Amino acid sequence: TTARIIARAVNCLNLQPDGEPCNECDNCKGVINGRSLDIIEIDGASNTGVDDIRNLRENAKYLPTTGKYKMYIIDEVHMLSTNAFNALLKILEEPPAHLMFVFATTESHKVPATIISRCQRFDFRRMEINAIIEQLSKISNEDGVTIDEKSLLQIAKKSDGSMRDSQSIYDQVVAFCGNNVEFQTMKDVLHLID
């Protein structure tokens, strides 16, 4: 999500004074709808080989079609093979001015130091339990679901600071319990013990 926001911001035609993308121009809408030719998302778990990175290097030479930057977003970058990392290192050492990379990983310790040393790194922390409860409460109100605070707290705890995981757990609970979620029923769904 953050990579897509950055992609909008660097290619936005009407960038706001505070650096926020406008989300209205053709470039922003292209990124939002996933149809921008300048933003290429790659699943590192599926494209682990050196040939995949060689193809990326070949295509990276071409200028962006509409925006200022061509951006490669590589998710699960830690899954790349050693040879793939070595191939990627060549373009990271001398990137063209129009090219940006965003690497996303939950296991940064598996990314070689030679790659990390050429990157600007941002570490994200887990969400606070109260923030998750607040968001789940908003979602339940919008969905017309009645859910007690104790259930929301347990879902938030079980998600381990991940909003996406908490929403998945919430969806499972609602699918099982219906629009009226009570702690005793939810406890069985999540296999909680006293």
Side-chain angles (χ1 to χ4, degrees):
T1 301
T2 303
R4 290 184 189 128
I5 293 170
I6 292 170
R8 289 197 315 258
V10 298
N11 286 322
C12 181
L13 300 173
N14 304 312
L15 195 64
Q16 305 302 306
D18 61 356
E20 291 290 322
C22 71
N23 298 326
E24 297 296 326
C25 69
D26 289 339
N27 287 352
C28 285
K29 286 182 178 177
V31 175
I32 290 168
N33 298 327
R35 59 178 167 76
S36 174
L37 299 175
D38 296 331
I39 311 303
I40 300 99
E41 293 187 37
I42 298 170
D43 178 20
S46 303
N47 301 284
T48 60
V50 68
D51 291 332
D52 297 313
I53 300 302
R54 284 187 184 136
N55 289 337
L56 178 151
R57 279 191 1 214
E58 284 299 313
N59 294 329
K61 292 186 236 179
Y62 301 111
L63 293 171
T65 55
T66 57
K68 184 177 177 183
Y69 292 98
K70 179 182 257 189
M71 180 183 287
Y72 285 92
I73 300 170
I74 304 179
D75 193 17
E76 302 296 335
V77 72
H78 66 274
M79 298 291 287
L80 295 180
S81 68
T82 303
N83 290 336
F85 275 124
N86 289 336
L88 186 61
L89 190 59
K90 291 187 185 269
I91 197 159
L92 289 178
E93 288 173 339
E94 297 175 17
H98 66 271
L99 188 62
M100 291 180 78
F101 287 97
V102 175
F103 302 139
T105 182
T106 53
E107 301 185 44
S108 58
H109 61 279
K110 291 184 179 179
V111 179
T114 52
I115 300 291
I116 291 175
S117 68
R118 288 163 175 80
C119 297
Q120 185 173 4
R121 182 174 169 165
F122 298 95
D123 291 313
F124 295 92
R125 61 181 172 79
R126 300 222 172 251
M127 289 184 69
E128 300 287 329
I129 287 179
N130 289 338
I132 293 173
I133 291 171
E134 185 179 321
Q135 185 63 28
L136 288 176
S137 184
K138 285 179 188 175
I139 292 169
S140 67
N141 287 336
E142 290 172 7
D143 293 347
V145 173
T146 305
I147 185 169
D148 60 340
E149 286 293 321
K150 197 171 181 183
S151 297
L152 289 174
L153 176 63
Q154 287 304 315
I155 293 171
K157 283 182 176 180
K158 196 157 178 71
S159 70
D160 193 29
S162 169
M163 191 65 228
R164 181 173 53 188
D165 290 350
S166 71
Q167 287 176 294
S168 295
I169 296 167
Y170 166 82
D171 289 340
Q172 290 171 11
V173 168
V174 171
F176 187 82
C177 297
N179 286 346
N180 190 15
V181 179
E182 295 178 359
F183 181 73
Q184 289 301 72
T185 313
M186 190 216 59
K187 196 168 88 168
D188 295 335
V189 176
L190 298 181
H191 306 292
L192 298 177
I193 56 173
D194 293 338

